[in-house]
Amino acid sequence: MNRKEATQKILEAKVAKGLTWNEIAKESENSETWVVTALLGQATMTSSEAEKMGELLDLDEEAIQALTLIPHRGEVMQMPPTDPILYRLYEMLLVYGPTIKELIQEKIGEGIMSAIDFELDVQKKEDTKGDRVILTLDGKFLPYRKW
């Protein structure tokens, strides 16, 4: 079973059991965002992590094993994305990406923000004018080196 097929089984089990991502993540030692990333096929679980998820979601052995495979990251959607939420994130990067780049370089130096040594958090902020979404992207700064 490949990661895409395992993801489909996981999504079906989540719905069938009426679980939230937060409830699923509570069965893990990892953050909610990392658990969701792994269950959607973009991170690798250890055997024991995969077994816990398998027990919770009543996954078969093939799906559990798929969670331990190293994924082909970044191949889960077409670019540009067509889903409205994902497209808006893409649009934000198109509009604000150059600003982010300039400010990283000015404040920290010539380099990049790691997507490997990285943490992500998604929070809801209640607001009388409409709830707000807070995304925190926390990546290690990696300076370019000379050789």
Side-chain angles (χ1 to χ4, degrees), residues 108-138:
I108 306 171
E110 184 180 2
I112 61 171
M113 182 175 78
S114 175
I116 296 169
D117 189 345
F118 180 84
E119 293 180 14
L120 165 69
D121 190 42
V122 179
Q123 295 295 321
K124 173 184 171 182
K125 178 180 171 186
E126 293 188 12
D127 189 298
T128 56
K129 296 180 227 163
D131 292 342
R132 308 206 36 102
V133 177
I134 300 172
L135 298 177
T136 303
L137 309 174
D138 182 350

Side-chain angles (χ1 to χ4, degrees), residues 9-146:
K9 286 190 171 215
I10 289 163
L11 292 172
E12 290 168 4
K14 177 185 177 287
V15 170
K17 291 184 155 284
L19 295 170
T20 66
W21 288 120
N22 186 265
E23 291 168 335
I24 294 168
K26 284 182 180 176
E27 298 298 316
S28 170
E29 302 292 320
N30 300 303
S31 73
E32 178 183 26
T33 52
W34 187 89
V35 171
V36 175
T37 300
L39 293 176
L40 293 180
Q42 293 297 293
T44 309
M45 290 188 155
T46 64
S47 293
S48 63
E49 290 167 336
E51 287 291 335
K52 278 185 187 180
M53 293 298 108
E55 287 175 27
L56 177 66
L57 297 170
D58 294 327
L59 301 176
D60 61 30
E61 202 52 46
E62 276 189 300
I64 293 168
Q65 184 63 35
L67 292 171
T68 67
L69 301 175
I70 298 172
H72 291 278
R73 290 173 175 88
E75 293 185 354
V76 294
M77 71 176 120
Q78 69 179 35
M79 292 302 287
T82 56
D83 177 86
I85 291 175
L86 299 176
Y87 182 79
R88 291 297 177 246
L89 290 169
Y90 177 77
E91 180 182 45
M92 286 177 220
L93 184 58
L94 290 174
V95 173
Y96 297 106
T99 300
I100 294 167
K101 179 185 185 300
E102 285 294 321
L103 293 173
I104 286 172
Q105 288 177 331
E106 183 176 288
K107 294 173 186 259
I108 306 171
E110 184 180 2
I112 61 171
M113 182 175 78
S114 175
I116 296 169
D117 189 345
F118 180 84
E119 293 180 14
L120 165 69
D121 190 42
V122 179
Q123 295 295 321
K124 173 184 171 182
K125 178 180 171 186
E126 293 188 12
D127 189 298
T128 56
K129 296 180 227 163
D131 292 342
R132 308 206 36 102
V133 177
I134 300 172
L135 298 177
T136 303
L137 309 174
D138 182 350
K140 179 181 180 180
F141 179 73
L142 302 171
Y144 285 103
R145 66 179 188 90
K146 295 180 182 178

